[in-house]
Each structure stands twice: as C-alpha cells, then as structure tokens.
Amino acid sequence: MPGNSRAAGTHHSRPSSSEEPPDLEDQELLLAAAYVSDAQYNRNVPFETSPQAIRLYHFYNHWTMRAATYFFIWVNLALALFEEPAVFPLPFLVTSIAEVLCLTAFFGRLVHFAKVTPQKVFWKDTKNICVMVTIVLTLIDLVIYGSLEAVNIRGVRWSRALRPVFLINFPESRQIRRTFRSIRNTLPDILYVFLLFLFSMMIFSLMALKLFGDRDLRTVEGSPYFTNILDIAFELYVLVTTANSPDVMMPAYELNWWYSLYFITYIIINTYIFMSVFLAVIYNNYRKHLKVCLLPPSGSLSLSSAPHLRPFWHLPAPGQSGVWACLLPATLSLSVLIILPGFTHLHANEIHTLAYLKHHKMTEAFNILKVKVGTEFVVKEARWRRLVKVVAPDVSSSHLELLLRISDEGQKGHVDKVNFLRLADLLNIRVVAINIKKHPLETWMPRVYQSSTSLLVQKMVQHRIFVWVYDVIILINAIFIALDEKDSLISYAEWLFLSLYIIEILLKLYTYEPSAYFGRKQFWNWFDTLIIIAALLATVANTTIQARKYNSQQVLDIVLILRILRLLRVIVSIQRFRVIVTTLINIGPTMLTFGGLVLVVYYAFAIIGMEVFHGKIHFLDPGSGSPDALVCGNPALKDSAFAQGRYCKNNFNDLASSLILLTELTVVNQWHILADGFALVTHQAAKLYFIGFHVVVVILIVNIFIAFILEAFFVAYSLEKSEVETAIEKKIQELGVGVQEEEVQNGGLIDNMDAKDSGFSADEGDNKKKDLKGLYFRIASKKYKTVDTLLQQMFESEIAPEGKDPSLKEILSFSPKKVNFDNSA
Amino acid sequence: MPGNSRAAGTHHSRPSSSEEPPDLEDQELLLAAAYVSDAQYNRNVPFETSPQAIRLYHFYNHWTMRAATYFFIWVNLALALFEEPAVFPLPFLVTSIAEVLCLTAFFGRLVHFAKVTPQKVFWKDTKNICVMVTIVLTLIDLVIYGSLEAVNIRGVRWSRALRPVFLINFPESRQIRRTFRSIRNTLPDILYVFLLFLFSMMIFSLMALKLFGDRDLRTVEGSPYFTNILDIAFELYVLVTTANSPDVMMPAYELNWWYSLYFITYIIINTYIFMSVFLAVIYNNYRKHLKVCLLPPSGSLSLSSAPHLRPFWHLPAPGQSGVWACLLPATLSLSVLIILPGFTHLHANEIHTLAYLKHHKMTEAFNILKVKVGTEFVVKEARWRRLVKVVAPDVSSSHLELLLRISDEGQKGHVDKVNFLRLADLLNIRVVAINIKKHPLETWMPRVYQSSTSLLVQKMVQHRIFVWVYDVIILINAIFIALDEKDSLISYAEWLFLSLYIIEILLKLYTYEPSAYFGRKQFWNWFDTLIIIAALLATVANTTIQARKYNSQQVLDIVLILRILRLLRVIVSIQRFRVIVTTLINIGPTMLTFGGLVLVVYYAFAIIGMEVFHGKIHFLDPGSGSPDALVCGNPALKDSAFAQGRYCKNNFNDLASSLILLTELTVVNQWHILADGFALVTHQAAKLYFIGFHVVVVILIVNIFIAFILEAFFVAYSLEKSEVETAIEKKIQELGVGVQEEEVQNGGLIDNMDAKDSGFSADEGDNKKKDLKGLYFRIASKKYKTVDTLLQQMFESEIAPEGKDPSLKEILSFSPKKVNFDNSA
C-alpha cells in the first residue's frame, strides 16, 4: 500500500524539515522512535520491524486512534442509558446500529493491532481472544434479541453485562487489568478465609437455632425470631455487615442480658477479626504483586542470564520454604516475601519486567541510531533532535533545548549511551517553562506601575496580613450564608462579598505577572479564580432570571453550591490543610484507576439487576394519595420495612437508579431491607444477588480501595525525587533557570517575584543563562509519582547500563504469564 | 532490717544448696540474677545495687507480688459492679472499705518501688506521679461522697473514671502504655486531618441547608428535613458512620435523582477517603513508632557514640527534609521514614533502646560473674547453673542441661561472653521436653499390645481414612443438630454421636502414648478431648435433671453450645483452615493487649455514662401491658425511634448494661437512634457524649485495632525463626533429641511414633543421646512471636558483641523522652 505508507511518512517526517534526510535514515528514525515511545509509555507489545509495519504502529499509537477507541468504549457503555429500561428511551434499531458501529470500531482496532504485531504474539494474547469472543457473543445476542423483538417476544439482552470487557481489555487500560489480575491471584487465599468464615457463621447459626429457636420470641415487627436456619444464616450474614445491629440482638437481650454475649462474640469474631483478615490478605497480596522481585522457579532459572541480579537474592534451598528477599537498592524498601509451603503462589514481578523491557527498547533504539565517535558509540545531536521531535511532536523548542543540555552534558554535539537511555524518563518528566517576564503594566506604563502608591499596593498584597484579612472575610461570609438569605440586607451582602473577592483577584493580578499567576501547575490560583468567576456568572444569571420573574431552580442550586465552594479557599491559607489536600490530589490518579475498576463491576451488576428486577418496584408520588404509592406499586410490599422506609425510589428501573442503588448497597447500611424488598417482589433467592454484590464489592473492592489509599499514602510519605528528576533539577539549577517550587507555593509567588527582580536588575551576564533568557523551569508535580513509576525506577537502577544485557527473549521469559510456578509441587 | 534480709536470702539461696558459697558471692549472684532477669523481661528501670535493695528488688519482681498487684487492680475495677448503680448492690461502706484497701495496696507497691529505685529516677517518672495523684484524688472523692451520703445528699463519684489509670501505669502494662503513647504521638497528625474533615462537613452542611432547607421536605417520620444547621451537621456526621444511609438521602432523592449526587459525593469524600486517611495516618504512625530507627536530632548527635550504627544511616543534610533510612539487617524490612518539614515529629525508637539496655544489662551481669580463663573472660559452669536457678527457679533439670549444652558449646566447663549474652533470650524460648516413652499398655501387657489385631487397630487409627470417616460423622451430626430434636429418634442419635466421639478418643489414646498425646502444646488434641468430655458431662447432667422433671435452662443452653462446638473439630483436619486459625491464635496475645486498651476506654466512658444517664431509661417487661413499658418508662420517648425500636434495654443503669451499650455504639449501626433517645430524656448536648465516644473508639481505637491486625498478619507472613531459636534447634538436632514440629502436628503423631520405634529398636548407642535419654525437645510456639521481640532481635544483631559498648548513660540518652526533637525548628 504505497499510499498508506506515504501518508504515514508525511505525517511523521513533518518535524524534520530542517535537513532533507535520505529515505533509509527516515525509516531508521521511525523505528528508533517507535522503540523510544514504547519505552516512554511502558508499552510491552513486540511489533514487526518492517518499514510499513512501523508506520502502522506509529499510527496505531497516535493519540487520535487511542482517543477514538476510548470514545467508542464509552459510547458502547453509555448505550445502557438509551436501551430499555432506559433513562432516555431510544428505539432498538438506533441503539443496535450504534452498538454494531462500536463493535466494528473495536474489530478494526484489533485488526490494526494484528497488522503491527507478530502473528504468534497476537494469537497467544488472551486479551485479543477475549475481545474477539465478546464481539461475536454480542453480535449473536443482538441478532437473537432483534429477531425475538420482530415477533414481539421480549428477550434478555445478556451480552450487555459483557460490555466492560472492552474497557478492561484494550491495551491502554493496563492498570485496571493489573488490578483484576491481582484480584484473581488473591482469590485462592481469600477463598479459604471466606470458607472458614462461612463455617464459623454456620456454627453460630446452629447455636442461635438451638438457643433461641424454641423460645417463642418475636422481633419488633412481630415476626418469629430465629426459628428457621436459613433466615438465621441471612440475619447473621447481615450482622457481619453490622446493618441490623443492635435490632437483631434485642429480643434475646430482653430475655436475658447474658445472651448479648453470644452476639458480642459473634461480632468480634466475624465482623472485626474476619473482616480485618480479609483486608490483611488483600493488602498483603496487593503489596506482594507490586513489589515482589522476579522469582525464578525453585531457584533454578535465569540467575545465569541476569548475573547482575544475584547480589539481591537470598535463595533458600530449592523447593523449600524460606525467605526470598530482594533489596531494592535505590530508595524505598527491602521487600521480603515468605514462601509458606503450599500457601503462597508467586508470580514474577511485572514491574521488574517492565523496567527490563524499557532498558532493552532504549538500547535497541540506541543501536539503530548510534555512530562511532572516537572510542565510543554516540548519537549525533541532529539525529537526537529529530528523534525527539518524532517521539514528542508537541515539545517546545526551549524544553528540547533543556533536554539536550541535560543529555549532552559536555556540549560535545552528541549524546552518549548512558544519557540516551535516560531519554524515555526525561520525556516523562513534565517540565514547566515559567516565562518570567515583566508585568505587562510595567512595560506598558512603567512610571505609574513603579510609583510609590503602586509599590505600596503591591507590598500590601504580598503581605501575610492580606491573606489573613481575606480569611476573616471568608469566615464572615460563611456566617452570612448560614443565616437566612430571605433578608434583603443579607442578599446585598452577597454582592459585597463577591466584589471583595473580585477585587482580591484583580489586586493579585496587578501585583503578580498574570501568566505566572496562571501557570500550568498553579492549582490553587486556578481554583480560586474559577470558583469566583463561576459564582459571579451564576449570580448574574440568577439575578437576570429572577428579574424576569422566572425562577430557575437549577441555576439557583448552582449559585448556592458555588457560593459555598468559595469557602474552600480557606484551605489554601492553612499550610497543614494544604499538605493533606495536596497529598489527596496527588493520589487522585490512582483513585481514578480504582474508579475504572468500580465502574466495571457496577456496570455488570447494574445490567444484571435491570434484567432481573426491572419494573418490579415503582416510585409513585406519595402526594397522589394512591394506595399503590405506599407499597411502591407492588402489593407484595405491604407492611414491609422497604415500603415503610419509603425506599420505592431505590429500584432497577433504569441505569441511573441502578447505579445509585448499588452505591447504597456499597455503603452497606440498610442493605438487608433493600434485599428483603426485592426478595418479596420476586423470590427469596434474589437475596443471593445482594449477598454476591456485598462479597464482591464490599469485601473485595472496598478493601482493595483501602489498600490503594494506604499504599498511596505510604508512598506519598516516603517519596522523594527520583534520580532522573534530581539530575534534571540539578541541570536546571546549574543553568541558572530554576525556581524552587516551595517558593512558588508557599510565598504565593512572592519570593519568586523577588528572584525575578534581583535577577533582572543585576543582570549578571551569565553565559549559560543567556541562551534561555527569560525562561525559568521547574519540575511539575514534584511530589506526585505513581507507585508504579517509583518501583520501576528502583529496578532500573539495578540494571547496569554497560555490561551484557539479557536478550528480549530472556526478558519475556520473565513475564508473569510464563514464570507462573507453584512451589508446592 | 536483718529479718527481712535473711528472709529474702533464704528464699533465693534455696536452689544453690549443692555447694556452700561465701556470703559475698551470694550477693554478687543476686545482683547478676537481677540484671539477667531484667534483660529477660525487658524491664528498664534502674535499681539500687546495695545488697538489701537487690533483695527487695527480687522480691518486688517476684510473681506473687505482681499477681497481688493485678488482683487489686481488678478488684478496684470490679467495684463498679457493686456500687450504685449496681448489678449486685452492696452498701457504700463495704465498697469504700474495699476501695481504700486497694488504694493501700497500690500505695504499698509504689513505696516498695521507691525503695529499690534511685530517688531521682523515681520522682522523674510520670507513671509514679500519676498513680500518686490518682490515689489522692480518689481518697478526696471518697471522703466528699461519704460525707454527703451521711447527710443524704447524692454526690457524683467522679474519681471512678480514673480507675483505669492503675491498669495503665503499673510497670507491668508496658504494652498498653506504649499504645497510649503512640496514640498521643498520633494526635497532632490526626487532629489536622480531623479539622479538615470537620471543615468539609461544615461546607456540606451549608450546602445542604441551602439546597434542601427551603424545600419544605419531610422525613419518613414526618419531621422537617434539613432545616436547622445543627441538625444537618449531626445528620451528616451520622452519615459518615453510614448509620443513617440511605434514609437521610431519600426525601431529596425523591424530589430529584440529581440530588443523590450530593450524598454520593459526600460519602465518597468523607466516609471513604477521610476514614481511609485516618487509618493511613494511624497505621503509619503505628509502624513508625515501632520501626523507626534511632534518629539523632538533626543529624548531629550520637553517631560518634554508636559508630557501628553508621552503615545503617543515610543522612540528609542537617535541618533539611530527606529520607532517613535504616536498614534492619537481619530479616525484615528496610524501614524508611521521611521528614517532611514541619510535618512529622520523630521520636527515638523505644525498641532500639530496649535492645541496647538488654545488651547492657547482660554485660553488667557478665562482668560481675566473670573469671579469667586463659586469654578470655568466662563464667564458670557451676556459677552459671546457680545463676539460672535463681533467675528461673522452675526450670527443669533436663532443660537446664540443654541450655548449658547450647551455651557451653565446646563442653569446656565454662560459658564465654557471646554465649552468656544470649542467656536472656534463651530463657525466653520455651522448650517443650517431650518424654518419649513406650505406651503404658506395651509395658503392661506387651503380648496383647503387639498382637496382630492390636497392630491392625493402631494402623487403622493412624490412617488418613480414619480422620475422614470422623469428618463425615461430624457433618452428619451437624445435619442432625439442625433437625428438630423433639423427635426421640434424633435425641437417641445424639447419644450415638457422643459415644462415637468417645470411642475415637479412646482409640487414639490406645494408639498414641497418652502423655505425648496430651503434650503441652498439643492444642488441638486438648481442644478435642475437652469439648467431648464437657459435652458428655453436660449431657449426663441434663438427662439426670430431666429425669427428675426439673428442666434447667442454663444447663440445656450449655449442652447445646457444647454440642455445636464439637463441630469445630472439622477445622483440625483441613490443613488450610488450621493454618489460618493458628495464625489467628498466634496473634491472640497482641489482641489481648488491645483488649486492655479497649477496657480502659470503655470503663471510663461507662462510668461517665452511668453518672449522667443513670435511671433515665428503664426496661419494663412489655408483657406487663403497662403504657410506660412502650416508652421505656420515660414519656419523653413517646413516638421516638428509640422506643419504637424497643431499645429500652440499652441503658446506663448498671455496668454490664453500659458495657453492652458501648459495644453496640462501637458497632456503629443505629447509634444515632440511641444517641437521640438519650438526648430526648436529658438534653440535646448529650449527643456530644456519643459523638465523643465515636471519635475516640471508632476513629482512633478501631483503626488501631486494624493496624494491629494488619501488622500482626504481615509479621506472621514474613516471620521465620530468630537466630537464637535456630541455634537452639540446631543444638537440639545435633544432640539427636529433636522432634520436628510439622511431624507432630501434621501426621497426628504418626511419624513421631515411627521415630520412637526405630529409635528404640535400633538403640544406636549415641554418646550424646544417652545423657538425655528418653527426652525429646522441641521449640514451643515456633511461629509465634510478637512484633516487639522480632524487632528487638533485629536491632540486637546490630550490636557488636565485642567492641566498645555505649555506657548506660548514653543508652538512656537515646530514650524517647529525651531525644524528642522537632525538626521544624
């Protein structure tokens, strides 16, 4: 396909217009760029190295293609909003056409992938098989449902529960996939604890039956108390979630206070101890799979192929239990793992493999581009520039210059191997170029801006008291908000506060250089300003609407929320709060991964729930006075706790309601009443759906969430800059173009500004400084790093840059799928 | 006091009757024994070294004295059962006399302590001051209350809430004290997170007021919804505990499903994220205070005084933030600590100090007893023996022999310094002497026991199928229990099962040697047998009573419970279950410490609760038909959720009820209804008591519990034998007197018996074996170790046995109280 090849070529050769290269070199460059880009984004799929395949591969990884894939995934998931039972109903024909479109897109993506990757690898990958099977199943389901629909029989759209498969299995969702794999690996351990837990529950159920069954006790609702073994088991399972405590205990407790000991024992054992053990097992597995070293099966494999690893191993005799310790030399921790015989199955560490792969790919790229200068191989500056332009087309020229300065330390016109290998990491570090310019007003009318009044104002704004005054204003504002706003005086006060805030921002913009104030990572400044502007717009809109006697509840609600969100600004000025919030924001991305995981599970459960419970319970306006409204449109619910609690709105009648209901079930409280309600309108077995949801979401997922947060916090507590980052910062400082982040954050740019002043007024004619004049850099997101990146960096420092590297084959033979051994054998 | 001195002397010189020593040597021995004993039990109080003080010190640490102290502490705590409001009322005169008696005992203990410890140390110790102040306060309270009582005015016995002080502050409760100290150290971090949490709650309350306040919504009970800012704040606080979810959301949700997003956002932020952050902060602190290395203030101190520590330090520049890493070389982990500027205050590590102190004390003891043999100083065997007898009077002579063999490796008749220093640890390791004898029946009637029938029976019992058959029997039994036992057939089946179990035990006793079967650490055998015997006795008792037409509910309940507990035997035969249960049992002691902590907090809250809420709510039998019974004897509760939920039994009318109620509050569910109930009968401010309890117990204590369990599990996962234990085991194996624990546990003594057979029939005349003939040893509780011991051992291996040791003064200057520095300065 010459046309295709030309198109891709045009696309990628665009940046390298300065010098016309021979076509062959262009090919090499593209191949090297593919390697570097893979290393940068940790993609570990092997690709074909034919020129055409490389162009296709670049195209495959182009952001537009990935964005398109995500778009179709979300469209496909969103279809549930429009299908019966729908929030916004659309005819079946429309949704099915949309679904087929999505499936086509997925299939296309898969074909594209098959073209760039070796056939063997493609067909061995379960991900691809999984996607293909899901596509076929969905098509079959669509056809069956469509034909049934044609003859007016309502079928079950079961394949909809499979839709999250696409979210999991497209290669970009590595994080979610890893979490799922981690869950799968945890399952055996969890399973035995769970069985023991069930056993203990059974023992307690039998005891309850014998102790209370014949006493003729009654619950508060007047139903018999603890007479049926299945009911008892359910009640006790609910008690584990604490949802029916203390009600379930009261009848027995009233009989004799002695019996309360039974329940207290039960709660201590099953709620506190077992639930903590679940957390411990999950957390332990989570840490293990992240941090464990690459373990050769029974001490036999691969130590020879990776000789520089040996110092980090302490190997017990093969087949024995013992401690496998791996010292992570750089920074963090000595992670130790015990192989209890037959208790723990080990998997080779993905992270470790990733680090090796990255190293391998960068070496490949280096080998393609290298030329010999003197005794060592290097990459010439011109080639290096073109490579970076291909890999990261949107890098600014000043950033490129900085990277070159760091990589080409001696300014010799070429980059050596060690520095070249760092390129992938360097590209991953976001450097913010702070363009320190004079204040526009200063350029425009220097006299006025430098007048004593103006300087006084600037001093004032920079003063600490200015911050405090505004904190007090915010607090007074809070009190006013709490007061009733029907009073017109208070409603005027609102305008006063708003104008005070706007004055504050204007004053700050007057004092600080605007483009620095709204720098890329000035989160809190952005936050401040956006909230105020939004509040201003909303208030104006609201007043306009009200003036026309047209009262919009939505706009009013937004105004109210924005008005209150303004109070969050207090956090900015309290150092300790800012630290906590910054940590929370930094672990945000990790939580988003977790959000993906939750979405997958919720979606599947919601679809199943809608198929099973759709239309059984209706919310009817209780104001209508209809007797049906009190029993949620279903007579089976008469006198049930569900109807008495006015829970009718909690149903599975559309996707939104289902997701809200599942959220309530995750919170756990009163879930037994919800489960009972749905069991009454269908069948007692419906409770299994709710118990299943509890086991999956609350016992597994919520504990993983806690493990996530714990680990993220520990990493945040124990995190410092990586070596690469430190190198960059050193260079930035050396070049004299650095800005301390602390200064920027703490002093509200004051110190920064001072630095600017001194720097420019003195105008020390530093040689290096001149080249990047007016540009200051700092490393963005200094504190934030994913656990992943961190661990990889630790492993990387194990890999000797020189010396014999393991071949790609050897590295892949480390891969988790292969080195999956069972040491109990 | 010559009498006293002679008495103590008689007491301690008893074991050394073999050779008559000069009196001076006796003194030395006692001093050395005091040091060794301190090292063994990790006591770190300095003591006077005058002969009389040492005798007093031995007496102070004698188990009788400690037991007496604990006895009085428990009596003092138990007094709350007998004081108004009492479970078992006693006149004030009786309880006050008992209390004065306890106080006298505490005072006596304190005086005793003052006699043995240097005055300066005594008066500097906050523990002692604390105890004295509490004694005085209690006496004052007693006098005031007594005089008021005399003139018939009811006072408040406020000093009762102080009683747990004694439990915390007597030196034996080091664990609880450390936990309290850890909590105190965590408080600053927790406080800021808590303030931020309150701030976020306030923001959400304001939003709720604005969004829902004017909508004229009603709750299910018909009361106005979200109209008062204080009510909203309380409801939202309750929502954090999830206790009123989803009820609190339903009115808004019914209005518009959009509003549910407000509640979901609130729950995600405040319930999930903030509560996890609390756990993270607490867990982080918990680990930090246990594992952190000894940190010199700002990198300046003591590196010179402890030069062998240096390799383990990575010091950031003084005064800067950075990573303080300390490599624990032996086994476990590289614990890393970050000093975020102004965020973390560090305390030197107690554990580290303890390890140093132990080393120091053992060295002192060695220096007292040493004599020069050849070029090195050693302790002669005879002296060593006498020392061990004084330190551990109840050690068996075979155990003593084993210890000597381990300590005196070359059998040179003396113990060198390295081995002497290990003594404290050796004494802490419980070695079980297994006396492998022939089966009594074999001795008594060898023909019959060795006959082919008898051998067949033994083979049968040892076979795996025998275990499986009984597992099946247990399962069938479970089904029979679940069935109604009114049927006489089933009630006969009960006797059948009982006899089957008894036959099983008899068969086992026939096959295995009884004293080995009931060995000290054969937990599961004991468990099995005791349950069966108890069930037998209870059933017989029950039948006897029933035969006389006298139906005792208590006995019947016990029979029922015992019958069901028998089912637990299934756990024994499933390997995976046994592993989990063993881990749980192993972390039991840690959990008991935690129990002490809970008791202290519960007791104080119970006393306060009884003073405030006593008598406000009464439980009246609802069967009586009295209208008061429906409102718990208090008209204020009319129509309240408290009365409707039949919660009258949940009151503060005596200690038992209070503790049960506090347990319910710990479980959290419905706690807002309980709080509301008590607020109705007293004052809205009463809710503060419940909120306070929630903050202290659920946010602090429960999270500490989870941290406890997590840590205990990780330690259990990553635990292997310590070096000292390995040394002992090696010796045991060398001596040929070892028994593998796995064999004993897994094979149900089968392999053990085989070993016995081969050992005795072959009768290899091993020289070493002969000395300890018929005695086999194994290390008890191989897997169990507290986190404490483990960490100490890790630090110990840092301490070079030779080389200049830091002096006592230097060690004490490491102590947490002194090296308490603030790096923000």
Side-chain angles (χ1 to χ4, degrees), chain A residues 514-658:
Chain A
S515 67
Y517 186 75
F518 290 120
R520 247 203 210 179
K521 282 277 161 178
Q522 299 294 345
F523 174 78
W524 291 110
N525 293 345
W526 278 102
F527 176 81
D528 238 32
T529 315
L530 286 181
I531 286 283
I532 297 294
I533 291 176
L536 181 67
L537 289 180
T539 312
V540 169
N542 189 39
T543 321
T544 330
I545 291 168
Q546 276 184 333
R548 297 183 186 183
K549 304 280 176 209
Y550 179 86
N551 206 335
S552 163
Q553 192 57 51
Q554 247 93 16
V555 175
L556 192 63
D557 285 351
I558 292 171
V559 174
L560 288 169
I561 290 174
L562 286 174
R563 193 177 294 165
I564 291 161
L565 281 183
R566 276 186 338 225
L567 302 182
L568 287 180
R569 302 176 63 220
V570 170
I571 296 176
V572 188
S573 48
I574 299 176
Q575 156 78 18
R576 290 256 198 170
F577 282 4
R578 217 169 45 205
V579 171
I580 301 169
V581 172
T582 308
T583 312
L584 283 176
I585 290 173
N586 286 343
I587 63 179
T590 316
M591 284 202 261
L592 275 189
T593 309
F594 177 77
L597 175 71
V598 169
L599 181 77
V600 167
V601 179
Y602 267 44
Y603 194 87
F605 269 98
I607 295 286
I608 298 171
M610 289 198 293
E611 295 291 354
V612 180
F613 302 114
H614 167 231
K616 305 283 184 193
I617 285 175
H618 288 285
F619 172 68
L620 305 162
D621 190 5
S624 70
S626 141
D628 267 8
L630 291 177
V631 293
C632 308
N634 197 321
L637 286 176
K638 200 163 178 297
D639 291 333
S640 68
F642 187 94
Q644 278 166 10
R646 251 172 54 185
Y647 285 170
C648 312
K649 190 89 178 183
N650 299 318
N651 55 42
F652 283 100
N653 293 355
D654 57 58
L655 189 66
S657 304
S658 307

Side-chain angles (χ1 to χ4, degrees), chain B residues 368-495:
Chain B
I368 293 167
L369 300 177
K370 70 183 174 188
V371 288
K372 197 158 191 168
V373 169
T375 55
E376 57 169 357
F377 286 103
V378 295
V379 176
K380 285 283 189 192
E381 189 183 311
R383 280 198 132 184
W384 187 89
R385 276 174 194 277
R386 286 179 54 216
L387 178 75
V388 174
K389 281 280 184 197
V390 174
V391 175
D394 52 346
V395 76
S396 75
S397 61
S398 57
H399 187 179
L400 183 68
E401 215 55 43
L402 180 70
L403 291 181
L404 184 63
R405 285 287 179 85
I406 294 160
S407 297
D408 179 14
E409 278 175 313
Q411 289 190 295
K412 294 175 232 150
H414 52 73
V415 176
D416 63 7
K417 187 175 178 186
V418 177
N419 280 303
F420 185 85
L421 294 188
R422 291 206 303 205
L423 180 59
D425 295 320
L426 284 179
L427 286 173
N428 269 338
I429 294 171
R430 284 215 217 125
V431 175
V432 178
I434 302 173
N435 214 336
I436 293 209
K437 296 182 290 203
K438 285 189 186 184
H439 197 288
L441 287 176
E442 199 174 357
T443 332
W444 195 36
M445 38 182 190
R447 285 270 171 83
V448 181
Y449 195 72
Q450 296 287 1
S451 72
S452 59
T453 334
S454 164
L455 283 178
L456 185 71
V457 169
Q458 290 173 40
K459 269 259 135 59
M460 224 176 66
V461 173
Q462 287 169 8
H463 204 281
R464 204 157 276 252
I465 290 178
F466 184 75
V467 179
W468 291 344
V469 166
Y470 266 92
D471 284 352
V472 172
I473 291 177
I474 291 173
L475 286 180
I476 297 173
N477 191 181
I479 296 166
F480 270 79
I481 292 177
L483 296 173
D484 197 348
E485 62 171 325
K486 289 288 170 291
D487 192 335
S488 66
L489 186 77
I490 287 173
S491 131
Y492 283 122
E494 181 48 37
W495 283 103

Side-chain angles (χ1 to χ4, degrees), chain A residues 210 215 242-243 245 247 249 259-260 272 284 287 332 336 338 481 553 557 647 660 664 666 669 717-718, chain B residues 210 215 242-243 245 247 249 259-260 272 284 287 332 336 338 481 553 557 647 660 664 666 669 717:
Chain A
K210 293 290 138 185
R215 295 283 158 83
T242 76
S245 153
D247 307 75
M249 169 174 119
Y259 288 127
S260 67
Y272 286 107
N284 196 46
R287 297 210 298 188
L332 237 192
V336 167
I338 282 288
I481 292 176
Q553 192 57 51
D557 285 351
Y647 285 170
I660 292 171
E664 288 172 19
T666 308
N669 200 57
Y717 273 138
S718 60
Chain B
K210 292 292 137 182
R215 296 282 160 82
T242 77
S245 152
D247 308 74
M249 169 175 118
Y259 289 128
S260 67
Y272 287 106
N284 196 47
R287 297 210 299 187
L332 238 194
V336 166
I338 282 289
I481 292 177
Q553 190 57 50
D557 285 351
Y647 285 169
I660 292 171
E664 289 171 18
T666 308
N669 201 55
Y717 273 137

